[in-house]
Structure formats: C-alpha cells, structure tokens
Amino acid sequence: MNPFNGRDLLSLQEWSVEDIERVLELAADLKQKFRIGVTTDYLKNKTFFMLFYASSTRTRNSFEAALTQLGGHAHYLNPKTMRAGDPGAPEAIADTAKVLSRYGHGIGIRIYFPQYGEGEKVIREYAKHASIPVVSMESDVYHPCQALADLMTIREKFKETKHLKYVQAWGYSPDALRVCAVPSSNILLMPRFGMDVTYVRPPEFTLHPDIIQQAKVNAETHGGSFTETDNLEEAIEDADIIYMRQHCTLDYGKHGPEKEQQIIDKYSDWTLTSDLLRLAKKSAVVMHCLPVDRDHEIASDVLDGPQSIVYDEAENRLHVQKAVLSLVM
Ligand code: CP
C-alpha cells in the first residue's frame, strides 16, 4: 500500500521530513533513468488537469513533460475558456473540482490574486471538493514544487546541508511584481534540513508574520537557525547559498501597483553583482527560481558565471514533480 496515494501537495509544511526524503530519493532515481533513457511509465493512461489562472513557462512545461514521460497525459486548462472563468456566472469551484475528479487522477492549480492569501484559498477550495489529489503549482503563499527542486539542487551541490548559510535575499526588479510564494516556501523548508537561514529584505518587504514565526519554529525543531535582517552586505558575508529574488509587499493588493513601484524603486541597488558575491564563500552558489530580471535582481555575469545553478534548479522541477505525481496519483 502506497501511503502517498491520494494525498494533496498544497504546501511542504503538510509533508514530513521523511515524506520529503522519499520524494527526493525517487526524484534522483527518475533523473538518472531520464538521463539514460529508461522508460518510467508509472502513470500509464492517467490524466492530470492543469488549471493555469496565471502564466508560466517552467511549471507548465515541466508538468506537461512529466506526464508524457510517466506515460500519462496532462491537460492544459485556461480557466478563462472554462465555465469556472465565465465572467457572468462562473461555475462554482466545488462543481469544477467534482467533475474533474470523475475524469482523471490529479489536478494542478496556479493562481494568485492581488490580495495576499486569496489564491491559496482558491487552491484549498479545489482540494476540499476534489476526490483526486490536488497539487499547488504556486499560489500567492506557497510554491512547494519549486522549493522541492531547490532543496534537491542544494543537496546535489553540497551533499550535507547542516549549517549551510542559506541567504534568501530580496532583489530589485522595477517591472515585476512577484508573489511571496518562493521566499516563503524556502525559508520554511531549508531550516527543516538543518540550514542556517538568513532572510534579508528592505524594511517594507517582510513576509507574512505567520511564515516568519513558522520558519523560526522549524529552525528550533530541526537544528537549523533563522535570522531576519535588512543589511544586505552583512547577510551575504560567508554565505554558502544566495537566493536573490524580488517579492511584493504584503500590502500590494491594498495600495496597488503605483505605490508598490515607488517602494520598489527606493531599493534599486539591491542587485547581486560580482562585487557583492565576493563577500560570500568562494564555494557559494547563486540560485533563482526564474524568470529572473537580468541586471536588476542578479547581474548577467553572475547569472552566467560558474557559481550560478539556476538551470539546475529549473531542470529539477521536472524530476521532483515526476516523483510527487508518481507517489500521489
Ligand atoms: N519558477 C517558476 O515557477 O517558473 P514559471 O513561472 O515559468 O512557471
């Protein structure tokens, strides 16, 4: 009996360290089999519905490729062309979830609303009514598949994660408004694997207090540590891992894009340059979930340099998602 069968993946907080270890073990096996061309049709004739309320390159294509490689099929669904997205009388989430549950074996959803937490509520509403597993493909709060790929990538580079200095840094991007899902997911996950996490951001950009509080609890429980600061240079000093990414303020949905832009523009020097990177350990790696705003969040010479592992992270999305879907579907 597979204990994962039928489980949702909405956040990694709901999966134990042992569960995550099982996913990473299977992901490594699937990665090796993919490399040498071994067939892994574990989901033969199974269907995964992917509802994208928001745009995507990596998530859509890695999930779609995952289903093909596992012998199943992924439906790309744009809710605007579904009854659920009918602007006049949108079909209830409960009805959409129940109907899709009669047709297939899993549902993935990506959704964010301007107001922090509203997208997460929608995903949980689908999960409540679906009788097949629901996988978060990113809400405004969590991006569990990205966090899994990031952890897998770190473990490939370092083997031992205990007391690695992991820096989650806010980065400047004038034109992008990124939700808080990646930094939130990663400051929660990395202390559970013994890392010493420093979260550095300008004063206005702290993550939700519940996330910060839980990150501290995770650190205390699992032997890592958690520090929050607004001093970028001090944070980068002696870092093993620097994950530089912009995220919006929690008030974005209330004050709107114009005010948000004014706040963002106060911090136009928050770019990971090669000078800044020199403060980290020589062996330090640079991470970003992509899409990256080149020369704003991270300088191009750093992104394209030997310390960048951003494409390894992107690749590992495929392998961890294949592992998760094989286990839950
Ligand atoms: N990292 C990530 O989720 O990329 P996409 O937005 O392209 O899916």
Side-chain angles (χ1 to χ4, degrees), residues 260-275:
E260 185 79 5
Q261 198 62 58
Q262 285 168 9
I263 303 169
I264 289 171
D265 285 341
K266 284 162 61 182
Y267 303 103
S268 59
D269 56 345
W270 282 58
T271 299
L272 183 58
T273 60
S274 49
D275 282 346

Side-chain angles (χ1 to χ4, degrees), residues 55-60 110 138 143 146 289-291 317:
S55 62
S56 163
T57 294
R58 277 142 293 272
T59 304
R60 174 182 174 177
R110 166 172 286 199
E138 192 179 20
H143 197 350
Q146 183 66 52
C289 55
L290 307 178
R317 289 290 304 277

Side-chain angles (χ1 to χ4, degrees), residues 10-29:
L10 307 184
S11 84
L12 290 171
Q13 279 297 114
E14 290 143 278
W15 285 42
S16 70
V17 167
E18 292 71 30
D19 294 338
I20 294 166
E21 291 286 8
R22 175 71 191 110
V23 171
L24 295 184
E25 185 189 12
L26 182 55
D29 184 59

Side-chain angles (χ1 to χ4, degrees), residues 222-234:
H222 296 279
S225 67
F226 178 78
T227 312
E228 188 175 13
T229 173
D230 56 12
N231 188 323
L232 182 59
E233 291 197 355
E234 261 180 42

